[in-house]
Amino acid sequence: MKVSYFPGCTLKNKAKDLDLYSYKSASALGVTLEEIENWQCCGGVFTSADDEVATKLSSVRALKYAFERNEPLVTVCSACHNVIKQTNYAMQTNKTFADKVNRYMAEDSYNGEAEVYHYLEMLRDLVGFDTLKEKVVNSLKGKKIAAYYGCLLLRPNKVMRMDDPENPTIMEDFIRALGADAVVYAKRNECCGGYISVESPDSARRNSNAVVKNAKAAGAEMIITACPLCKYNLEKNGADIPVVYFTELLAEALGVKEDTNA
Amino acid sequence: MHNNRYLRDEIIRISGVNTAKCMKCGKCSATCPAYDEMEYHPHQFVNMVESGDITPLLNSDSLYKCLSCFACIDRCPRGVEPAKVVEAVRLFAVRKQGANRMTANDVPAIVDEDTPQQLLVSAFRKYTK
Amino acid sequence: MQRVGVFVCWCGSNIAGTVDVQAVAEALKSEPGVVFSTDYQYMCSQAGQDMIKTAVKEHNLTGIVVCSCSPRMHEATFRKTAAAAGLNPYMVEIANIREQCSWVHKDMATGTEKAIILGKAAVAKVNLNAPLTPGESPVTKRALVIGGGIAGIQTALDIADAGFEVDIVEKNPTIGGKMAQLDKTFPTLDCAACILTPKMVDVAQNEKIRIFSYSEVTDVKGFVGNFDVTIKKNARYVKEEICTGCGACLEKCPMKKIPNEFNLGMDNRTAIYIPFAQAVPKVATIDPTACTMLKKGKCGICSKVCTAGAIDYTQKDEYIEEKYGAIVVATGFNPISMDKFDEFAYSQSKDVITSLEFERLTNAAGPSAGKLLRPSDGKHPHTIVFVQCVGSRCEACAEKGKEYCSKICCMYTAKHAMLTRDKYPDTEVYVFYIDVRTPGKNFDEFYRRAVEEFGVKYIKGMVGKVTPEGDKLKVQASDLIANKQLHIDADLVVLAAAIEPDKSARPLATMLTASMDTNDFFTEAHPKLRPVESPTAGVFLSGACQGPKDIPETVSQAGAAASKVIGLLAKDKLTGNPCVASSDELMCNGCSSCANVCPYGAITYAEKEFRMPDRTTKVRRVAEVNPAVCQGCGACTVACPSGAMDLKGFANLQIMAEVDAICK
């Protein structure tokens, strides 16, 4: 299976691990990630205003690319996934917006036809967690791992449609597929503070600490995430258990992890 | 000031939100992780926009405290989408000339060696036009 | 040609505000057959009706057109007026120029134009009307009540009290419904069991009432006065008439870990069980999904310990057919699932419970014998947070909540909060509310007592997130009056879950051809004036199946439904609707198209002998309509390929005349 892959800015720089392990794991699972040519940064956050057009064009170009190749668009960074899925939804549901966007596009118009998958959704819906389970070489049995969804993976649910936004299971099912114990805790879908660490570092610290504290109280020995900013905020604000990208864990379980200096 | 029709219509147009749907339950403010940072809270944003009392919002730092985590959007029982209202007021503020909250000169003080690009990109998108 | 009189109603300003009524009366004067035309302020008033009667006499009218409100409103009124004036009541046609015209148009010119067109159509139709005479049908003097909660119980008792037989069909092994699970009842705080169980015993002992427990209605045929109902008695593997309810089998049953529905899964029961001590009928039931004897053929202990010999592992479901004159729906409600509201952590912590679970926790017969203890560790909770409107008034989340107000939560939460403070004064009790809604006799006083005498902390705001951590529930909430976000470390969180109609209601409504709203509540015939009758004749509504209701209101409605049933059963014969289908047997080719589409089973076939032009005879198969069963829906007239089937009062010719008049 071949998919159009949108890595995003951070995965080419500070989050090279997330990118590298995505490739290696996908290939171990029989999925080829074809990097979208000349992709541009998604912008990090989706601007919900209906009259914002220019900031969403990079996402539309990536979507159109995948659609024209008849491939699902797969992203691994929570932020890219959120922005691209929200943009695609706006293209499907807001005709005025789509018309404005299409005036910027060179050739045929695009109306939200592409299918957007987060890497986790790809594992669940295209690969299948049962298949994943079979391919695990190094079972992570006995590890108590907490999934940290943050806000971007699940919300707004009307658009993301990834899982139950208040009681998600996709990452827990992923953890279990790798043989580990999933630790369920209430703060797993609460915000780490996101970009607010620029404006109010204290606010980000309070939010991040509350997440780690809650995960640890529930017995977690490790937290996994799909978002470079979540990882940064949790670590910078003193997480005293490892915070790792879910793809790193995946690569380890699939036996394709190797030392990198990313 | 209490009934600034133009501002109100602009905010409602930009946000696409029908503030009249609010039943004043306060769940948005109950769920907001940035509540204590804010002078005006999510339910007040909705209520003040609905009543046209928008100038205080435009002049408040509360605009820059919203995390865009969308918890208020998903948990609102009436589908009001308060985060979109906050976003619209913020855009109205930063779209003015010279109103950018952040410039490139601020970056060196923000970054450390682990700072992900995502942080800077997101902050610029939220705090500048 | 008829001699038609036209009467245009103003309906005060309801019609006259948007329709030039005089212009309508004037324009219709020149329609074929019209010999008299006038307008009046309130045609339905006594003076208006007298005006019609006088005109019938003075102008020898043979047909009447009233341009007024919907025929649903006053058709019957004007038919009576016509009859009083010596006309056949079916010589009246109503042109609806209110709901379908003045109320939907803003502009006088368009409104008037449309009113004239509607009037012309009615005149064209009445010109082709023929006098009709309704038939009569007998009444089976027995009622069926579906659902054995307090609504069904009260309705059955009241009907039986008037001397008619009543059957109650209840899907659970016992009657009693939700009320049997409650602890105290607001606003007087009587113990629910103390006031309910005597009524349950009355039902059991009343010789006019039969209880079909553990049973369901699977089919309904027929019509008002003459329903044929199939009742499925599920096999309970215990002979009901022999079992004494001694409970010996319950003690010995080895399958002891079955979640107990009556206590909402907060403790366990055995595979053979009696839901609670005061169950009616007090007989055991074997849960076939839990019993090893039924699943694997091994065990049989209950049979060995039963001295009465009541256990019967071979029992089969039984179908019973009964006739009824009236059917009362009393299927009740359930709290909605909290699965989709996990911001309150219902799935994550045993100490986040629903209000109905709280009832069981404080009930002496509940899992903690009436002591308020946390389900997780059995400790006494010192801080309790009640959250109102969980899933109610939830317009944005149709996939998880309900748009309506569930009505009973404000009062039961006040009750829970008050009783907790009364019994455990060292407990802090918070109630988060959006609005406190307490209309009802002594209701607001009750809520104020909770605040003023018992010190319950009512906070205007909502809970946004509950985070279980350690042995605490960290509650994050808003206090809109203080303009603060609150963080409370609670020991117990109680969710006032929205209520919804029982799941059995939707298929039942289909069987009864009774209408429902989008929330699956049964629709009443008129929201104000006929609140306990369904629009389907002979079907009545009792209790929460029609909308959220507390006990006082349910009991009132149950009595009202009973009185309507009694009024029906007291009649020996019912006058039918003459607007029924009839088949022209000369044109019918016996193809069965009509019988295939008839939803009421009103069409049968007969072999009939016909004289042919050459004086021979031929036997042909032709359709016959049973006018007592036909509801006049008209489906057959559309399905008939040869045009043999027609509807009296709505004949194809009449409909076409209306269309022609509109298109002219």
Side-chain angles (χ1 to χ4, degrees), chain B residues 8 12 17-24 28 41-52 54 57 72 76 80-86 89:
Chain B
R8 181 182 179 277
I12 284 176
V17 166
N18 178 4
T19 47
K21 289 175 78 74
C22 173
M23 66 169 169
K24 302 180 180 5
C28 49
H41 306 113
H43 73 279
Q44 291 174 289
F45 267 86
V46 175
N47 185 50
M48 289 165 81
V49 167
E50 169 66 9
S51 58
I54 294 162
L57 299 176
C72 56
C76 172
V80 174
E81 307 185 306
K84 288 192 178 181
V85 177
V86 179
V89 181

mmCIF file of all heavy atoms in Angstrom, chain B residues 8 12 17-24 28 41-52 54 57 72 76 80-86 89:
data_model
loop_
_atom_site.group_PDB
_atom_site.id
_atom_site.type_symbol
_atom_site.label_atom_id
_atom_site.label_comp_id
_atom_site.label_asym_id
_atom_site.label_seq_id
_atom_site.Cartn_x
_atom_site.Cartn_y
_atom_site.Cartn_z
ATOM 1 N N ARG B 8 -20.132 43.907 16.432
ATOM 2 C CA ARG B 8 -20.807 42.646 16.704
ATOM 3 C C ARG B 8 -21.004 41.846 15.413
ATOM 4 O O ARG B 8 -20.681 40.655 15.343
ATOM 5 C CB ARG B 8 -22.169 42.934 17.357
ATOM 6 C CG ARG B 8 -22.954 41.697 17.709
ATOM 7 C CD ARG B 8 -24.311 42.089 18.293
ATOM 8 N NE ARG B 8 -25.087 40.899 18.615
ATOM 9 C CZ ARG B 8 -25.798 40.232 17.720
ATOM 10 N NH1 ARG B 8 -25.855 40.629 16.470
ATOM 11 N NH2 ARG B 8 -26.472 39.152 18.083
ATOM 12 N N ILE B 12 -19.309 38.229 14.428
ATOM 13 C CA ILE B 12 -20.178 37.099 14.127
ATOM 14 C C ILE B 12 -19.916 36.583 12.711
ATOM 15 O O ILE B 12 -19.867 35.380 12.467
ATOM 16 C CB ILE B 12 -21.657 37.479 14.376
ATOM 17 C CG1 ILE B 12 -21.866 37.478 15.896
ATOM 18 C CG2 ILE B 12 -22.622 36.536 13.682
ATOM 19 C CD1 ILE B 12 -23.203 37.905 16.381
ATOM 20 N N VAL B 17 -20.269 32.078 14.200
ATOM 21 C CA VAL B 17 -20.927 31.526 15.386
ATOM 22 C C VAL B 17 -22.236 32.270 15.651
ATOM 23 O O VAL B 17 -22.313 33.482 15.493
ATOM 24 C CB VAL B 17 -19.993 31.674 16.614
ATOM 25 C CG1 VAL B 17 -20.747 31.430 17.912
ATOM 26 C CG2 VAL B 17 -18.827 30.697 16.500
ATOM 27 N N ASN B 18 -23.261 31.530 16.054
ATOM 28 C CA ASN B 18 -24.511 32.146 16.469
ATOM 29 C C ASN B 18 -24.518 32.230 17.999
ATOM 30 O O ASN B 18 -24.841 31.269 18.678
ATOM 31 C CB ASN B 18 -25.698 31.318 15.955
ATOM 32 C CG ASN B 18 -27.029 31.894 16.404
ATOM 33 O OD1 ASN B 18 -27.069 32.950 17.046
ATOM 34 N ND2 ASN B 18 -28.108 31.210 16.078
ATOM 35 N N THR B 19 -24.147 33.405 18.506
ATOM 36 C CA THR B 19 -24.005 33.551 19.955
ATOM 37 C C THR B 19 -25.353 33.484 20.681
ATOM 38 O O THR B 19 -25.405 33.232 21.871
ATOM 39 C CB THR B 19 -23.305 34.880 20.298
ATOM 40 O OG1 THR B 19 -23.913 35.923 19.536
ATOM 41 C CG2 THR B 19 -21.828 34.829 19.958
ATOM 42 N N ALA B 20 -26.446 33.677 19.939
ATOM 43 C CA ALA B 20 -27.772 33.627 20.576
ATOM 44 C C ALA B 20 -28.117 32.218 21.043
ATOM 45 O O ALA B 20 -29.043 32.031 21.827
ATOM 46 C CB ALA B 20 -28.839 34.136 19.612
ATOM 47 N N LYS B 21 -27.390 31.225 20.552
ATOM 48 C CA LYS B 21 -27.683 29.848 20.962
ATOM 49 C C LYS B 21 -27.217 29.554 22.384
ATOM 50 O O LYS B 21 -27.590 28.537 22.970
ATOM 51 C CB LYS B 21 -27.005 28.858 20.005
ATOM 52 C CG LYS B 21 -27.653 28.812 18.625
ATOM 53 C CD LYS B 21 -26.863 27.922 17.704
ATOM 54 C CE LYS B 21 -27.133 26.453 17.955
ATOM 55 N NZ LYS B 21 -28.434 26.043 17.464
ATOM 56 N N CYS B 22 -26.389 30.441 22.937
ATOM 57 C CA CYS B 22 -25.830 30.197 24.272
ATOM 58 C C CYS B 22 -26.945 30.164 25.316
ATOM 59 O O CYS B 22 -27.818 31.026 25.329
ATOM 60 C CB CYS B 22 -24.833 31.289 24.635
ATOM 61 S SG CYS B 22 -24.244 31.174 26.332
ATOM 62 N N MET B 23 -26.948 29.138 26.212
ATOM 63 C CA MET B 23 -27.957 29.099 27.281
ATOM 64 C C MET B 23 -27.332 29.451 28.628
ATOM 65 O O MET B 23 -27.922 29.210 29.673
ATOM 66 C CB MET B 23 -28.664 27.750 27.327
ATOM 67 C CG MET B 23 -27.792 26.586 27.718
ATOM 68 S SD MET B 23 -28.810 25.128 28.035
ATOM 69 C CE MET B 23 -27.559 23.866 28.129
ATOM 70 N N LYS B 24 -26.125 29.996 28.576
ATOM 71 C CA LYS B 24 -25.458 30.498 29.779
ATOM 72 C C LYS B 24 -25.296 29.438 30.852
ATOM 73 O O LYS B 24 -25.614 29.651 32.010
ATOM 74 C CB LYS B 24 -26.224 31.718 30.315
ATOM 75 C CG LYS B 24 -26.326 32.831 29.259
ATOM 76 C CD LYS B 24 -27.062 34.022 29.783
ATOM 77 C CE LYS B 24 -27.214 35.184 28.830
ATOM 78 N NZ LYS B 24 -26.762 35.080 27.476
ATOM 79 N N CYS B 28 -18.284 26.070 29.082
ATOM 80 C CA CYS B 28 -17.058 26.472 28.385
ATOM 81 C C CYS B 28 -16.029 26.965 29.383
ATOM 82 O O CYS B 28 -14.858 26.581 29.335
ATOM 83 C CB CYS B 28 -17.355 27.544 27.337
ATOM 84 S SG CYS B 28 -18.355 28.921 27.924
ATOM 85 N N HIS B 41 -13.569 35.546 30.458
ATOM 86 C CA HIS B 41 -13.564 34.095 30.296
ATOM 87 C C HIS B 41 -14.437 33.690 29.116
ATOM 88 O O HIS B 41 -15.217 34.508 28.628
ATOM 89 C CB HIS B 41 -14.012 33.459 31.612
ATOM 90 C CG HIS B 41 -13.184 33.932 32.772
ATOM 91 N ND1 HIS B 41 -13.687 34.713 33.786
ATOM 92 C CD2 HIS B 41 -11.857 33.804 33.010
ATOM 93 C CE1 HIS B 41 -12.706 35.028 34.630
ATOM 94 N NE2 HIS B 41 -11.591 34.485 34.185
ATOM 95 N N PRO B 42 -14.313 32.441 28.675
ATOM 96 C CA PRO B 42 -15.029 32.054 27.449
ATOM 97 C C PRO B 42 -16.512 32.425 27.432
ATOM 98 O O PRO B 42 -17.014 32.961 26.438
ATOM 99 C CB PRO B 42 -14.818 30.545 27.396
ATOM 100 C CG PRO B 42 -13.506 30.336 28.082
ATOM 101 C CD PRO B 42 -13.429 31.370 29.161
ATOM 102 N N HIS B 43 -17.213 32.167 28.548
ATOM 103 C CA HIS B 43 -18.655 32.477 28.531
ATOM 104 C C HIS B 43 -18.881 33.977 28.416
ATOM 105 O O HIS B 43 -19.876 34.427 27.852
ATOM 106 C CB HIS B 43 -19.348 31.907 29.777
ATOM 107 C CG HIS B 43 -19.062 32.645 31.055
ATOM 108 N ND1 HIS B 43 -17.904 32.441 31.786
ATOM 109 C CD2 HIS B 43 -19.759 33.582 31.737
ATOM 110 C CE1 HIS B 43 -17.921 33.213 32.861
ATOM 111 N NE2 HIS B 43 -19.041 33.926 32.853
ATOM 112 N N GLN B 44 -17.922 34.772 28.945
ATOM 113 C CA GLN B 44 -18.073 36.229 28.838
ATOM 114 C C GLN B 44 -17.839 36.688 27.397
ATOM 115 O O GLN B 44 -18.488 37.612 26.925
ATOM 116 C CB GLN B 44 -17.105 36.923 29.795
ATOM 117 C CG GLN B 44 -17.483 36.720 31.250
ATOM 118 C CD GLN B 44 -16.427 37.285 32.182
ATOM 119 O OE1 GLN B 44 -15.343 36.746 32.295
ATOM 120 N NE2 GLN B 44 -16.743 38.395 32.830
ATOM 121 N N PHE B 45 -16.881 36.049 26.726
ATOM 122 C CA PHE B 45 -16.665 36.377 25.314
ATOM 123 C C PHE B 45 -17.970 36.217 24.530
ATOM 124 O O PHE B 45 -18.388 37.096 23.787
ATOM 125 C CB PHE B 45 -15.593 35.456 24.709
ATOM 126 C CG PHE B 45 -14.208 36.040 24.760
ATOM 127 C CD1 PHE B 45 -13.408 35.893 25.879
ATOM 128 C CD2 PHE B 45 -13.706 36.752 23.678
ATOM 129 C CE1 PHE B 45 -12.128 36.434 25.937
ATOM 130 C CE2 PHE B 45 -12.433 37.299 23.723
ATOM 131 C CZ PHE B 45 -11.639 37.147 24.851
ATOM 132 N N VAL B 46 -18.626 35.076 24.749
ATOM 133 C CA VAL B 46 -19.862 34.803 24.008
ATOM 134 C C VAL B 46 -20.922 35.841 24.361
ATOM 135 O O VAL B 46 -21.561 36.441 23.491
ATOM 136 C CB VAL B 46 -20.374 33.372 24.309
ATOM 137 C CG1 VAL B 46 -21.725 33.130 23.648
ATOM 138 C CG2 VAL B 46 -19.363 32.334 23.842
ATOM 139 N N ASN B 47 -21.076 36.081 25.661
ATOM 140 C CA ASN B 47 -22.109 36.984 26.124
ATOM 141 C C ASN B 47 -21.838 38.432 25.698
ATOM 142 O O ASN B 47 -22.740 39.154 25.273
ATOM 143 C CB ASN B 47 -22.195 36.886 27.656
ATOM 144 C CG ASN B 47 -23.327 37.711 28.211
ATOM 145 O OD1 ASN B 47 -24.456 37.599 27.729
ATOM 146 N ND2 ASN B 47 -23.040 38.553 29.176
ATOM 147 N N MET B 48 -20.560 38.860 25.776
ATOM 148 C CA MET B 48 -20.242 40.248 25.442
ATOM 149 C C MET B 48 -20.338 40.494 23.933
ATOM 150 O O MET B 48 -20.748 41.569 23.497
ATOM 151 C CB MET B 48 -18.857 40.616 25.986
ATOM 152 C CG MET B 48 -18.864 40.732 27.521
ATOM 153 S SD MET B 48 -17.221 40.735 28.264
ATOM 154 C CE MET B 48 -16.734 42.446 28.031
ATOM 155 N N VAL B 49 -19.989 39.497 23.144
ATOM 156 C CA VAL B 49 -20.157 39.646 21.698
ATOM 157 C C VAL B 49 -21.644 39.709 21.367
ATOM 158 O O VAL B 49 -22.096 40.556 20.590
ATOM 159 C CB VAL B 49 -19.459 38.500 20.927
ATOM 160 C CG1 VAL B 49 -19.889 38.485 19.471
ATOM 161 C CG2 VAL B 49 -17.940 38.649 21.040
ATOM 162 N N GLU B 50 -22.412 38.839 22.007
ATOM 163 C CA GLU B 50 -23.856 38.831 21.757
ATOM 164 C C GLU B 50 -24.470 40.195 22.089
ATOM 165 O O GLU B 50 -25.327 40.687 21.366
ATOM 166 C CB GLU B 50 -24.514 37.711 22.581
ATOM 167 C CG GLU B 50 -26.038 37.708 22.641
ATOM 168 C CD GLU B 50 -26.719 37.436 21.301
ATOM 169 O OE1 GLU B 50 -26.008 37.075 20.348
ATOM 170 O OE2 GLU B 50 -27.944 37.602 21.218
ATOM 171 N N SER B 51 -23.979 40.826 23.174
ATOM 172 C CA SER B 51 -24.579 42.108 23.546
ATOM 173 C C SER B 51 -23.831 43.297 22.920
ATOM 174 O O SER B 51 -24.160 44.445 23.207
ATOM 175 C CB SER B 51 -24.633 42.238 25.071
ATOM 176 O OG SER B 51 -23.337 42.110 25.593
ATOM 177 N N GLY B 52 -22.844 43.042 22.093
ATOM 178 C CA GLY B 52 -22.157 44.120 21.388
ATOM 179 C C GLY B 52 -21.118 44.850 22.227
ATOM 180 O O GLY B 52 -20.572 45.872 21.816
ATOM 181 N N ILE B 54 -17.897 44.834 22.905
ATOM 182 C CA ILE B 54 -16.718 44.151 22.385
ATOM 183 C C ILE B 54 -15.412 44.907 22.637
ATOM 184 O O ILE B 54 -14.346 44.299 22.760
ATOM 185 C CB ILE B 54 -16.927 43.857 20.875
ATOM 186 C CG1 ILE B 54 -18.083 42.847 20.747
ATOM 187 C CG2 ILE B 54 -15.669 43.277 20.235
ATOM 188 C CD1 ILE B 54 -18.678 42.785 19.396
ATOM 189 N N LEU B 57 -13.050 43.599 25.175
ATOM 190 C CA LEU B 57 -12.399 42.353 24.758
ATOM 191 C C LEU B 57 -11.196 42.657 23.873
ATOM 192 O O LEU B 57 -10.127 42.059 24.015
ATOM 193 C CB LEU B 57 -13.382 41.457 23.997
ATOM 194 C CG LEU B 57 -14.626 40.991 24.757
ATOM 195 C CD1 LEU B 57 -15.539 40.193 23.835
ATOM 196 C CD2 LEU B 57 -14.222 40.148 25.956
ATOM 197 N N CYS B 72 -13.866 23.721 24.789
ATOM 198 C CA CYS B 72 -15.157 24.409 24.945
ATOM 199 C C CYS B 72 -16.079 24.112 23.771
ATOM 200 O O CYS B 72 -17.294 24.024 23.920
ATOM 201 C CB CYS B 72 -14.947 25.916 25.099
ATOM 202 S SG CYS B 72 -14.009 26.671 23.752
ATOM 203 N N CYS B 76 -19.562 22.161 24.706
ATOM 204 C CA CYS B 76 -20.718 23.062 24.750
ATOM 205 C C CYS B 76 -21.980 22.302 24.370
ATOM 206 O O CYS B 76 -22.050 21.716 23.307
ATOM 207 C CB CYS B 76 -20.547 24.239 23.790
ATOM 208 S SG CYS B 76 -22.048 25.234 23.656
ATOM 209 N N VAL B 80 -22.246 26.205 20.514
ATOM 210 C CA VAL B 80 -21.954 27.629 20.296
ATOM 211 C C VAL B 80 -20.531 27.869 19.776
ATOM 212 O O VAL B 80 -20.285 28.824 19.054
ATOM 213 C CB VAL B 80 -22.189 28.430 21.610
ATOM 214 C CG1 VAL B 80 -21.764 29.877 21.455
ATOM 215 C CG2 VAL B 80 -23.654 28.361 21.989
ATOM 216 N N GLU B 81 -19.585 27.029 20.125
ATOM 217 C CA GLU B 81 -18.200 27.142 19.679
ATOM 218 C C GLU B 81 -17.518 28.433 20.174
ATOM 219 O O GLU B 81 -17.098 29.283 19.373
ATOM 220 C CB GLU B 81 -18.112 27.045 18.155
ATOM 221 C CG GLU B 81 -18.819 25.797 17.625
ATOM 222 C CD GLU B 81 -18.667 25.562 16.141
ATOM 223 O OE1 GLU B 81 -18.988 26.486 15.362
ATOM 224 O OE2 GLU B 81 -18.218 24.479 15.774
ATOM 225 N N PRO B 82 -17.378 28.567 21.491
ATOM 226 C CA PRO B 82 -16.784 29.787 22.055
ATOM 227 C C PRO B 82 -15.368 30.067 21.521
ATOM 228 O O PRO B 82 -15.023 31.242 21.306
ATOM 229 C CB PRO B 82 -16.751 29.510 23.565
ATOM 230 C CG PRO B 82 -17.789 28.465 23.784
ATOM 231 C CD PRO B 82 -17.815 27.634 22.557
ATOM 232 N N ALA B 83 -14.544 29.039 21.309
ATOM 233 C CA ALA B 83 -13.161 29.274 20.845
ATOM 234 C C ALA B 83 -13.141 30.026 19.521
ATOM 235 O O ALA B 83 -12.224 30.804 19.243
ATOM 236 C CB ALA B 83 -12.420 27.947 20.715
ATOM 237 N N LYS B 84 -14.155 29.792 18.704
ATOM 238 C CA LYS B 84 -14.217 30.508 17.426
ATOM 239 C C LYS B 84 -14.527 31.988 17.634
ATOM 240 O O LYS B 84 -14.099 32.831 16.847
ATOM 241 C CB LYS B 84 -15.279 29.885 16.515
ATOM 242 C CG LYS B 84 -14.894 28.538 15.948
ATOM 243 C CD LYS B 84 -15.873 28.155 14.853
ATOM 244 C CE LYS B 84 -15.507 26.845 14.207
ATOM 245 N NZ LYS B 84 -16.467 26.522 13.138
ATOM 246 N N VAL B 85 -15.290 32.283 18.683
ATOM 247 C CA VAL B 85 -15.589 33.683 19.006
ATOM 248 C C VAL B 85 -14.307 34.375 19.464
ATOM 249 O O VAL B 85 -13.976 35.476 19.017
ATOM 250 C CB VAL B 85 -16.684 33.774 20.095
ATOM 251 C CG1 VAL B 85 -16.930 35.222 20.484
ATOM 252 C CG2 VAL B 85 -17.976 33.128 19.597
ATOM 253 N N VAL B 86 -13.561 33.707 20.356
ATOM 254 C CA VAL B 86 -12.305 34.277 20.837
ATOM 255 C C VAL B 86 -11.370 34.521 19.649
ATOM 256 O O VAL B 86 -10.754 35.578 19.526
ATOM 257 C CB VAL B 86 -11.637 33.342 21.876
ATOM 258 C CG1 VAL B 86 -10.314 33.934 22.353
ATOM 259 C CG2 VAL B 86 -12.565 33.086 23.051
ATOM 260 N N VAL B 89 -12.383 37.595 17.615
ATOM 261 C CA VAL B 89 -12.045 38.872 18.261
ATOM 262 C C VAL B 89 -10.538 39.105 18.162
ATOM 263 O O VAL B 89 -10.077 40.208 17.877
ATOM 264 C CB VAL B 89 -12.510 38.901 19.736
ATOM 265 C CG1 VAL B 89 -12.179 40.248 20.375
ATOM 266 C CG2 VAL B 89 -14.005 38.632 19.828
#
